[in-house]
Amino acid sequence: MIFLTGCEQSVSISTMCEADPQICVDIHDDNWCRKERKSLLLHNYNVKQTNQDIDKYKELIAFEEYIGCMSLASQIEHIKLKEKKTNRVNSLLNAEKRFTQLAENTKQSNNAHLLYFHWSRFLDKDAMAKFTAKEGSAELETAELQQFLASYYIKRDPDKTLGILFHSLELTPAGAELNHEVFESIANIFNDKDEYKQTYIWLKVLQLHKPDDQHLSENLINLFIEKHGLNIAFLDTVAEATLTNIQEGRFKAPQY
């Protein structure tokens, strides 16, 4: 008996399959992509239990992760077990079919997550218009949805985007998983505004949060410091305090 644990109540694989027997036939067990399959089964089970739009959104994301993983796995040839590849291809095709059906079934939803999903994946302009119309509402007062909103404005209004990204960090609860792309975006906006001290602070926040980022080497940071003649002692202290405040859910948007 295999169980999934986490924020949701533990549910056995057999219970998930009982709720939707066909999905366990269509997307069968395999040595590859087991984590993604279990996540997909769990979110499918949750939809069967709640029929809530937010659970449908999570199932769509789980489908994307499974399809991405299985797209690679299905290309692997098995010398002795040719049927393995066939099974993987079938699972992939079935997942893609179910994903398409779920996406179509949620097209008319007014849920903010689903509206953003349909714009970001299918360039549905009506969905984005409905999503941006929710700006300032209580529904969008989460870190994730503020980041979705920022992705819409980033090429349209960088200053507004900066405020939205700062607000997303204000809404980030203590201990939450952080999205490093927020730090990258803030640094890029400040760099475009020629505000190099702020750029450095947020590059340093990014480096502290994601030290193995190959795109942000110590050499690159040093080149930036030399180019702009920065005195980094104070700026490093600010960056460290900023990241700590974000991690502990105490971040307050600075003046900019």
Side-chain angles (χ1 to χ4, degrees):
M1 191 75 73
I2 303 173
F3 290 88
L4 291 182
T5 60
C7 296
E8 298 91 354
Q9 183 179 1
S10 299
V11 183
S12 69
I13 294 290
S14 61
T15 299
M16 298 177 204
C17 290
E18 287 172 7
D20 183 357
Q22 191 59 44
I23 197 172
C24 293
V25 174
D26 291 342
I27 304 172
H28 56 78
D29 196 12
D30 189 279
N31 290 331
W32 288 81
C33 307
R34 302 191 86 175
K35 174 184 172 184
E36 290 78 8
R37 178 180 183 266
K38 291 174 186 176
S39 176
L40 175 55
L41 294 181
L42 176 61
H43 290 300
N44 179 71
Y45 173 82
N46 288 341
V47 169
K48 295 295 182 186
Q49 301 306 304
T50 70
N51 199 35
Q52 295 293 312
D53 281 350
I54 186 60
D55 290 318
K56 293 175 184 178
Y57 167 76
K58 292 177 182 178
E59 186 179 3
L60 285 166
I61 298 300
F63 267 117
E64 286 186 331
E65 292 172 351
Y66 176 82
I67 289 168
C69 179
M70 192 54 72
S71 293
L72 297 175
S74 63
Q75 297 173 20
I76 298 173
E77 294 282 0
H78 281 257
I79 297 174
K80 295 182 179 180
L81 299 172
K82 291 287 186 180
E83 69 274 13
K84 280 286 186 182
K85 181 179 180 181
T86 300
N87 289 339
R88 286 172 182 165
V89 170
N90 287 338
S91 289
L92 173 60
L93 293 175
N94 289 333
E96 289 174 340
K97 182 179 178 181
R98 279 180 170 257
F99 170 81
T100 300
Q101 289 173 339
L102 184 56
E104 183 63 28
N105 291 342
T106 57
K107 193 173 181 180
Q108 302 305 318
S109 171
N110 196 44
N111 173 270
H113 284 86
L114 286 171
L115 289 172
Y116 179 80
F117 183 89
H118 281 277
W119 175 72
S120 61
R121 272 55 167 192
F122 308 115
L123 298 180
D124 186 330
K125 294 181 179 179
D126 289 339
M128 198 61 213
K130 292 177 183 177
F131 179 80
T132 54
K134 294 175 180 286
E135 186 177 347
S137 70
E139 186 179 358
L140 293 197
E141 286 295 292
T142 71
E144 182 181 41
L145 288 171
Q146 288 295 304
Q147 289 162 24
F148 289 170
L149 187 63
S151 72
Y152 172 77
Y153 281 112
I154 194 162
K155 292 183 179 179
R156 296 170 171 83
D157 190 337
D159 284 335
K160 181 171 184 173
T161 302
L162 201 53
I164 294 170
L165 290 173
F166 282 148
H167 188 45
S168 79
L169 294 177
E170 289 179 322
L171 293 171
T172 300
E177 184 176 350
L178 302 180
N179 181 359
H180 69 275
E181 293 180 358
V182 173
F183 306 145
E184 290 179 11
S185 296
I186 292 174
N188 286 333
I189 292 171
F190 275 127
N191 191 56
D192 290 342
K193 290 161 64 71
D194 297 332
E195 296 187 25
Y196 301 120
K197 290 181 180 180
Q198 288 291 340
T199 303
Y200 174 79
I201 288 170
W202 288 96
L203 286 176
K204 191 65 180 180
V205 168
L206 175 60
Q207 186 185 49
L208 291 169
H209 172 62
K210 201 177 178 188
D212 8 352
D213 188 340
Q214 297 178 353
H215 301 292
L216 196 64
S217 65
E218 198 66 41
N219 185 48
L220 182 63
I221 290 281
N222 289 335
L223 287 173
F224 185 85
I225 293 167
E226 292 174 12
K227 180 178 179 180
H228 300 293
L230 300 177
N231 183 348
I232 63 169
F234 174 70
L235 300 180
D236 281 349
T237 301
V238 173
E240 290 168 6
T242 298
L243 181 58
T244 298
N245 286 338
I246 294 169
Q247 292 170 331
E248 295 179 356
R250 297 185 288 106
F251 177 82
K252 298 298 180 186
Q255 297 295 322
Y256 62 94

